[in-house]
């Protein structure tokens, strides 16, 4: 039987067998009822997670609730995954993780950390990615036994850590019989706690709109005392299609006497107040002991023990249901959150405070819950309670609960008697909030701290925290100003300048770049980020020593990978990134936005599928930060353009530009324009290509971005010779060569030679020869193949056909291996013009797979198991197996043992 007026919604939830569906709507719309209907009808295992206001700040409380019935099943997980899950739920002493790996927000795309800083691997929160993989693996294993339905109600009150893990797993559900059905009061990302359900943004939504007049009337007719006449009209008008309001107002109407003529004329309050009064009215008929017990469980829905008998009348009245028991204790589940709110707020303030004091007395063994109840009972500032909350925040941070830690520190500040302690705790809260990626929260906390104290140390740290989080936003100017101010404090100088160099890089503003560089002293990271072309050889020579000093610390390796990438040591950058990412996944939390610098290295090195995977992962971790999202879109656009998906590339590139101001976020804008230019080249639109590549340089020929513009110089020349802009492009090329003359990278020497060869055909051969003779050229296979193709075209036009054919065949092999269809077509056309008739060929079989499938094949070829691959790529083993099953026929293999030979033959090992 379906719900009145919810026939299509009922069909949707009952038909969900795999994937995700989020129900949204106002309180009383019927979300919980639909979730219950789906759970009752499900023919497999149902796991539940229900949000609770009293546990919204208790890290992983929801995870514990979800997995409590299947804890025994965790025995089949790998040891690290099982330890992480049990540790997160407080059921084990060992997380199974290596260390905090907590990177500063400035690490976003460049992944910078402290190359010579302290070892970050000792202690710290569990790796959220490892926890996500563990949860995904567990749910996938359960789904292999029987279909699994995860029901998550009241997302807005589920603690942030549990919500993020469930969203992580939900995003990676393949075609297995695993479904997540959730309900939230608000649309994803727009609710309480500053967008508490943001991790679930992007999933399919089913909004429960108000019932229409027909359905509302039918629902009223099904009530025990259906209202009639003017009463009916008033209820229909005031309920405005809200099912719960219709039911409760009809109940109230029957209770006050359906035949009483005056009752219909009584004043009906606005919906919220009216419903609160309706719910509170139910309390009057209950015994005093029941009302007291209800107040306690309204304050904490786990406060049921010893009160089951007292709560029985309330359960009989349908206000709540008692669940659980046994080792994990009892819980109260209210029929609707508004009932709980009505019970709690109908009690006098003094009674509510006393309830929290009573609960705190009973929770001596649970310091976190005790601290929050003491805080709720506080009548004014109280240092003891503030200190307890500060300790709770520290425990939350150790478990990766940064939202909970921030909230606890913020409340601790409110309860601090002294202004300095209040300011200190607000600054600490801002520091914790940086890791949540919510700039507005950090800003508000820092502003409150600044209003309380003139302490220069606290003010400097507050500026640092705001500047760090703004580095990930589009407010680079503000970030730079705050970070440079923080750098005036000797204690913070290094980390502040490190973050400021990243903000300056993203901005591309010359004034800020020079300001940071002037303060950098001898720090190799900051000097490289602020000018990768100055003293390049010296910086490159230092990298091996810095890698050795890093001693395997992934945070420091990440920074060195980014440093190598900026210095055009692409092969070295890829090796460092591979090692660092593997170490992060073994023992630390991946910093937000890490994928972009690694992704560009992979792209330059010809590992396009991996680059796109990095972009997609970064984008999904964007946390509502437009600059971060734009950076990921620009990287994705580049990978799409090179692989011939030009319409999608233009969409992604245009989206990147729309998210930022191109004049204030020059790094992202230049990269996006490069991607759009390559899409135009792939489509044969040379005019469009020239327009995009010309925008990488100013009217005077200077780079728009001091580092990101230069790699586009050869493409500018190639488009210019096809559109009649040779002279203009030549001026840009020569200006670039002049600026880089002191110590150019091998890559820039190659690109400048290519540009000059294209622009000066009569003097081209020495440039082609020099470009192809560069020993380091193999690091950039696509660019090398382009030079081979350009050279071959030049040779054919001079009737040196035999030489041209050799160059063309070599280029074609590379383009096929990379999966560059537009360049394959162009090369084959040149071969035909050179008298070589060949059957049309497309990209090789490996590049016909999706980026994720290509990555899985590469890891399988290295001998990794499905579970190990899943842990690296954050997929369930079942999903990995499904991808391999679908990929083998396309590759013409029947066993994993054949993959190594296939990869080696394609040149992708």
């Amino acid at each position: 039987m379906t719900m009145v007026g919810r026939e299509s919604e009922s069909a949707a939830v009952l038909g969900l067998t795999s994937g995700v569906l989020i129900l949204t709507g106002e309180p009383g719309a019927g979300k919980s009822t639909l979730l219950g209907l789906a759970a009752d009808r499900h023919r497999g295992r149902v796991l539940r997670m229900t949000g609770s206001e009293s546990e919204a700040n208790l890290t992983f409380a929801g995870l514990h609730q979800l997995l409590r019935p299947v804890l025994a099943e965790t025995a089949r997980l790998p040891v690290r995954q099982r330890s992480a899950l049990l540790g997160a739920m407080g059921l084990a002493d060992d997380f199974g993780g290596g260390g905090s790996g907590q990177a500063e927000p400035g690490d976003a795309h460049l992944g910078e950390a402290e190359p010579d800083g302290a070892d970050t691997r000792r202690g710290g929160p569990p790796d959220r990615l490892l926890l996500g993989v563990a949860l995904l693996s567990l749910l996938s294993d359960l789904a292999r036994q029987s279909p699994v339905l995860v029901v998550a109600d009241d997302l807005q009150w589920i603690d942030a850590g549990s919500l993020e893990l469930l969203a992580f797993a939900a995003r990676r559900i393949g075609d297995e019989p695993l479904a997540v059905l959730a309900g939230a009061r608000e649309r994803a990302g727009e609710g309480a706690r500053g967008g508490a359900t943001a991790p679930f943004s992007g999933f399919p939504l089913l909004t429960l709109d108000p019932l229409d007049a027909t359905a509302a009337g039918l629902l009223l007719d099904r009530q025990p005392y259906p209202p009639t006449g003017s009463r009916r009209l008033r209820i229909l008008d005031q309920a405005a299609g809200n099912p719960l309001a219709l039911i409760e107002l009809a109940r109230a109407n029957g209770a006050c006497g359906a035949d009483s003529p005056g009752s219909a004329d009584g004043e009906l309050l606005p919906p919220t107040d009216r419903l609160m009064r309706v719910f509170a009215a139910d309390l009057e008929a209950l015994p005093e002991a029941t009302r007291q017990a209800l107040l306690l469980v309204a304050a904490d829905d786990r406060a049921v023990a010893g009160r089951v008998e007292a709560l029985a009348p309330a359960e009989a009245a349908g206000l709540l249901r008692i669940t659980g028991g046994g080792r994990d204790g009892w819980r109260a589940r209210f029929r609707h959150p508004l009932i709980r709110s009505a019970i709690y707020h109908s009690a006098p303030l003094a009674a509510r405070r006393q309830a929290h004091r009573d609960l705190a007395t009973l929770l001596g063994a649970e310091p976190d819950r005790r601290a929050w109840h003491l805080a709720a009972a506080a009548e004014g500032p109280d240092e003891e309670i503030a200190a307890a909350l500060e300790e709770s925040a520290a425990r939350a941070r150790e478990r990766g609960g940064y939202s909970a830690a921030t909230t606890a520190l913020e409340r601790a500040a409110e309860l601090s008697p002294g202004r300095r302690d209040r300011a200190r705790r607000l600054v600490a809260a801002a520091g914790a909030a940086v890791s949540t990626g919510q700039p507005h929260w950090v800003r508000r906390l820092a502003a409150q701290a600044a209003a309380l104290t003139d302490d220069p140390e606290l003010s400097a740290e507050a500026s640092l925290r705001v500047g760090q989080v703004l580095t990930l936003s589009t407010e680079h100017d503000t970030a730079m100003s705050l970070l440079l101010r923080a750098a005036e404090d000797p204690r913070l100088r290094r980390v502040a300048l490190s973050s400021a160099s990243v903000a300056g890089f993203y901005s591309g503003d010359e004034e800020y770049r020079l300001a940071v560089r002037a303060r950098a002293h001898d720090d190799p990271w900051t000097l490289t980020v602020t000018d990768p072309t100055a003293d390049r050889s010296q910086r490159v020579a230092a990298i091996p020593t810095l890698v050795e000093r890093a001693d395997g610390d992934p945070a420091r390796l990440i920074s060195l990978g980014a440093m190598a990438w900026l210095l055009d040591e692409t092969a070295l950058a890829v090796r460092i990134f591979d090692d660092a990412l593997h170490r992060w996944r073994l023992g630390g939390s991946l910093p937000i936005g890490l994928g972009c610098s690694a992704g560009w290295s992979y792209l330059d090195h010809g590992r396009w599928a991996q680059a796109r995977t990095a972009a997609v992962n970064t984008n999904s971790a964007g946390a509502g930060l437009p600059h971060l999202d734009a950076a990921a879109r620009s990287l994705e656009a580049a990978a799409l353009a090179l692989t011939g998906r030009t319409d999608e590339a233009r969409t992604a590139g245009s989206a990147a530009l729309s998210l930022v101001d191109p004049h204030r976020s020059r790094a992202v804008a230049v990269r996006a324009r490069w991607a759009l230019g390559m899409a135009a080249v792939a489509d044969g639109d040379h005019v469009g290509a020239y327009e995009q590549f010309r925008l990488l340089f100013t009217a005077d020929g200077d780079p728009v971005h001091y580092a990101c513009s230069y790699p586009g110089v050869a493409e500018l020349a190639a488009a210019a010779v096809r559109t009649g802009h040779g002279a203009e492009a030549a001026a840009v090329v020569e200006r670039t060569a002049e600026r880089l003359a002191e110590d150019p990278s091998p890559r820039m020497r190659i690109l400048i030679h290519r540009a000059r060869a294209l622009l000066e055909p009569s003097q081209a051969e020495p440039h082609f020869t020099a470009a192809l003779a560069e020993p380091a050229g193999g690091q950039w296979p696509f660019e090398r193949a382009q030079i081979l193709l350009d050279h071959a075209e030049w040779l054919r036009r001079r009737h040196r056909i035999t030489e041209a054919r050799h160059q063309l065949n070599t280029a074609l092999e590379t383009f096929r291996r990379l999966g560059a269809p537009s360049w394959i077509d162009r090369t084959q056309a040149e071969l035909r013009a050179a008298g070589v008739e060949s059957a049309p060929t497309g990209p090789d079989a490996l590049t016909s797979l999706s980026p994720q499938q290509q990555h899985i094949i590469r890891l399988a070829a290295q001998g990794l198991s499905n579970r190990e691959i899943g842990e690296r790529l954050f997929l369930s083993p079942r999903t990995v197996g499904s991808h391999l099953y679908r990929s083998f026929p396309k590759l013409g293999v029947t066993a994993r043992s054949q993959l190594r030979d296939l990869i080696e033959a394609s040149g992708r090992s």
Side-chain angles (χ1 to χ4, degrees):
M1 183 173 131
T2 57
M3 298 166 56
V4 174
R6 300 292 189 212
E7 290 77 15
S8 62
E9 293 89 344
S10 297
V13 300
L14 293 174
L16 183 69
T17 58
S18 181
V20 184
L21 181 63
I22 312 297
L23 305 182
T24 64
E26 64 178 352
K31 302 181 295 295
S32 297
T33 304
L34 282 169
L35 297 181
L37 175 66
D40 292 341
R41 300 278 188 89
H42 186 67
R43 295 184 178 182
R45 190 192 296 266
V46 177
L47 300 176
R48 290 179 177 271
M49 178 193 291
T50 301
S52 164
E53 285 189 72
S54 66
E55 295 189 354
N57 294 310
L58 296 180
T59 304
F60 298 130
L63 181 69
H64 187 279
Q65 186 185 154
L66 180 73
L67 299 186
R68 186 174 58 219
V70 292
L71 286 176
E73 306 285 348
T74 63
R76 292 200 297 270
L77 293 175
V79 173
R80 289 178 60 251
Q81 294 184 16
R82 182 173 185 271
S83 296
L85 273 183
L86 296 180
M89 293 184 288
L91 300 178
D93 294 329
D94 187 352
F95 295 148
S100 71
Q102 178 59 33
E104 295 291 345
D107 300 355
H109 313 322
L110 297 176
E112 109 283 11
E114 304 276 344
D116 299 312
D119 191 332
T120 61
R121 294 169 293 167
R122 301 180 184 127
D127 178 5
R128 289 299 180 90
L129 291 175
L130 177 60
L131 285 173
V133 172
L135 177 60
L136 178 63
S137 298
L138 177 59
L139 294 177
S140 183
D141 286 346
L142 293 172
R144 190 176 295 114
Q145 302 169 31
S146 67
V148 173
L149 175 66
V150 174
V151 176
D153 201 0
D154 281 330
L155 289 185
Q156 71 277 358
W157 297 126
I158 292 176
D159 66 277
S162 299
L163 201 64
E164 290 167 5
L165 293 187
L166 182 60
F168 178 97
R171 290 188 188 282
R172 287 155 179 83
I173 294 174
D175 55 2
E176 50 202 312
L178 170 61
V180 175
L181 180 63
R185 288 191 190 181
E186 78 282 354
R187 298 181 68 85
E190 298 175 4
R193 294 188 292 146
T197 61
F200 272 81
S201 62
F203 284 116
L205 285 178
L206 179 58
T207 301
L208 303 188
D209 295 320
L211 300 181
D212 61 29
T214 300
L218 180 58
L219 182 59
L220 284 181
D221 289 340
R222 291 192 177 184
Q223 302 311 305
Y225 302 100
T228 60
S230 61
R231 297 177 188 168
R232 183 183 185 92
L233 295 176
R234 293 287 297 274
I235 289 174
L236 286 171
D237 178 60
Q238 294 293 314
N242 183 290
L244 183 63
L246 288 163
I247 292 169
E248 296 299 338
L249 290 173
R251 177 184 297 179
N253 173 75
C256 72
D259 297 324
S260 172
S263 60
D265 298 326
E267 180 185 7
L268 290 176
L269 304 173
T272 300
D273 291 341
R274 180 187 67 238
L275 289 173
M276 290 285 285
R277 289 197 179 187
V278 168
F279 295 144
D282 292 335
L283 301 177
E284 297 178 4
L286 297 174
E288 175 64 23
T290 300
R291 292 201 297 272
Q292 291 180 359
L294 277 174
L295 176 58
L296 288 171
V297 295
D300 189 331
D301 58 14
R302 292 170 59 185
V304 177
R307 300 179 181 84
V308 174
E309 295 299 325
L311 290 169
E315 189 171 20
L319 293 176
L320 51 71
R321 187 172 53 161
I322 306 299
T323 63
R327 182 185 66 181
D328 297 306
W330 302 95
R331 295 182 74 100
R333 295 187 61 192
F334 289 90
R335 189 175 77 240
H336 190 277
L338 289 179
I339 296 176
R340 176 179 181 171
S341 296
I343 292 168
Y344 184 80
H345 291 289
S346 66
L349 175 61
R352 298 200 300 268
R353 285 176 172 164
Q354 185 58 51
H356 286 294
R357 281 192 288 269
D358 292 343
L359 290 167
T361 301
L362 298 173
L363 292 171
E366 297 186 56
D368 293 332
R369 290 174 65 201
R370 180 177 181 275
W372 277 107
H373 283 299
L374 287 173
E379 298 182 20
D382 188 311
E383 177 58 27
E384 183 179 350
I385 298 174
L389 282 173
E390 191 169 13
E391 292 172 2
S392 178
R395 287 188 290 271
R397 289 195 69 161
E398 288 174 359
R399 298 173 64 189
Y402 294 106
S403 293
T406 304
T407 304
L409 285 165
E410 187 174 10
R411 179 61 175 142
E414 293 172 357
L415 293 172
S416 300
R419 288 173 63 88
R420 192 182 191 287
D421 280 336
R422 193 178 310 165
R424 175 180 61 79
R425 285 166 174 149
L426 284 169
V427 170
V434 167
S435 298
T436 70
Q438 297 189 45
H440 297 301
W441 201 1
V442 178
R443 253 183 167 154
R444 178 170 60 79
L445 292 166
Q448 290 174 348
L452 287 169
T453 181
D454 295 326
D455 185 308
E457 291 186 358
L458 288 178
S459 297
E461 187 175 350
S463 295
L464 171 66
R465 299 313 182 188
V466 177
Q468 285 177 323
V469 77
L470 290 183
T471 298
L472 298 177
S473 74
T474 55
E475 298 182 57
H476 305 309
D477 293 345
T478 304
M480 286 291 299
S481 178
L482 291 169
L483 291 168
L484 290 177
R485 184 189 309 165
E488 295 173 4
D489 186 327
R491 300 173 306 113
L492 306 175
R493 171 184 292 276
R494 186 172 184 185
V495 66
L497 289 177
S498 178
S499 296
S501 68
V502 179
F505 181 90
Y506 295 152
S507 168
D509 182 272
E510 188 71 2
E511 179 182 347
Y512 282 135
R513 181 179 74 86
L514 294 176
V516 176
R517 189 170 179 81
R519 294 166 171 80
H521 300 300
D522 59 350
D523 180 64
W525 162 258
T526 304
L527 290 171
T528 298
V529 175
T530 52
D531 190 349
T533 65
D535 301 313
R536 180 189 169 277
S537 297
Q538 179 183 342
R539 306 278 173 251
V540 171
I543 292 178
T545 301
L546 293 172
V547 169
E548 186 176 351
R549 286 184 195 168
D551 193 26
D553 177 12
R556 294 160 71 184
L557 289 174
I558 287 294
S559 71
L560 296 174
M563 183 175 172
W565 166 60
L566 288 169
L567 293 168
D568 278 338
E569 292 294 311
T570 304
L572 176 60
V574 165
R575 289 196 299 273
I576 295 174
F577 276 129
D578 281 346
D579 183 31
L581 290 171
H582 179 60
R583 291 175 185 271
W584 272 114
R585 287 161 181 152
L586 286 176
S589 302
L590 282 166
I592 186 171
L594 174 66
C596 279
S597 58
W600 281 108
S601 295
Y602 293 141
L603 189 91
D604 294 341
H605 204 47
R607 287 161 61 168
W608 295 349
Q610 214 165 337
R612 188 168 175 226
T613 298
V616 171
N617 286 342
T618 299
N619 197 36
S620 67
L625 296 166
H627 175 82
L628 184 58
D629 290 341
R633 295 286 184 89
S634 64
L635 174 58
E636 184 179 17
L640 288 167
L642 294 173
T643 53
R645 299 168 65 174
T646 54
D647 287 342
E648 295 173 74
R650 277 188 288 273
T651 299
S654 298
L657 290 172
S658 71
L659 288 167
V660 298
D661 180 345
H663 302 292
R664 299 169 70 87
S665 295
R666 295 175 180 87
V668 168
V670 163
R671 289 294 189 179
R673 294 198 189 285
W674 185 88
L676 291 170
M678 294 308 294
V681 172
D683 285 342
D685 177 12
H686 302 300
V687 172
Y690 183 78
E691 291 173 351
Q692 293 294 341
F693 293 129
R694 186 63 185 86
L695 288 171
L696 306 187
F697 299 88
T698 68
D700 295 332
D702 291 327
V704 168
H705 187 276
Y706 63 88
C708 296
S709 290
Y710 290 134
V713 70
E715 296 298 342
L716 172 67
V721 298
R722 291 174 169 83
T723 57
H725 294 90
E728 185 178 16
V732 174
V733 171
E734 294 312 312
R735 194 167 182 87
T736 297
E738 180 182 343
R739 290 175 69 101
L740 301 179
E742 182 178 340
D743 192 8
S745 70
R747 183 185 189 188
M748 288 312 304
R749 286 199 298 268
I750 291 170
L751 293 178
I752 290 171
H753 278 306
R754 181 193 175 205
R756 285 171 168 167
L758 293 171
L759 291 165
E760 306 168 20
S762 63
Q763 304 174 41
E765 188 144 33
H767 292 300
F768 280 129
T769 301
L772 293 171
E774 176 62 56
Q779 296 182 71
W780 308 282
F782 177 70
E783 292 174 0
R784 183 175 178 83
Q786 285 182 296
I787 297 170
L788 287 167
L789 176 55
D790 291 337
H791 190 200
E793 290 177 337
W794 184 87
L795 290 169
R796 183 183 62 78
R797 292 191 182 98
R798 281 148 186 80
H799 308 293
R800 295 162 61 177
I801 303 301
T802 302
E803 296 173 79
R805 288 173 180 171
H806 174 72
Q807 304 279 54
L808 289 169
N809 283 321
T810 304
L812 180 61
E813 181 181 341
T814 300
F815 289 139
R816 289 189 67 245
R817 174 168 57 82
L818 294 173
S822 298
W823 287 267
I824 291 172
D825 292 344
R826 182 178 152 197
T827 307
Q828 288 182 322
E830 278 296 315
L831 278 168
R832 287 192 294 272
V836 178
E837 292 295 335
S838 60
T841 58
D844 65 18
L846 193 61
T847 60
S848 69
L849 304 179
S850 71
Q852 189 173 71
Q853 288 171 335
Q854 291 182 48
H855 204 172
I856 289 171
I857 291 295
R858 289 184 66 254
L859 294 175
Q862 296 173 22
L864 275 67
S865 68
N866 287 5
R867 192 176 291 279
E868 290 170 330
I869 295 171
E871 189 164 312
R872 286 202 184 190
L873 302 185
F874 322 124
L875 301 170
S876 72
R878 181 187 180 97
T879 299
V880 172
S882 177
H883 280 304
L884 289 171
Y885 176 80
R886 294 171 181 170
S887 301
F888 275 24
K890 298 178 182 178
L891 299 174
V893 300
T894 57
R896 296 171 85 103
S897 58
Q898 298 172 273
L899 294 177
R900 181 179 294 277
D901 291 340
L902 181 145
I903 294 294
E904 289 178 352
S906 71
R908 293 171 181 267
S909 55

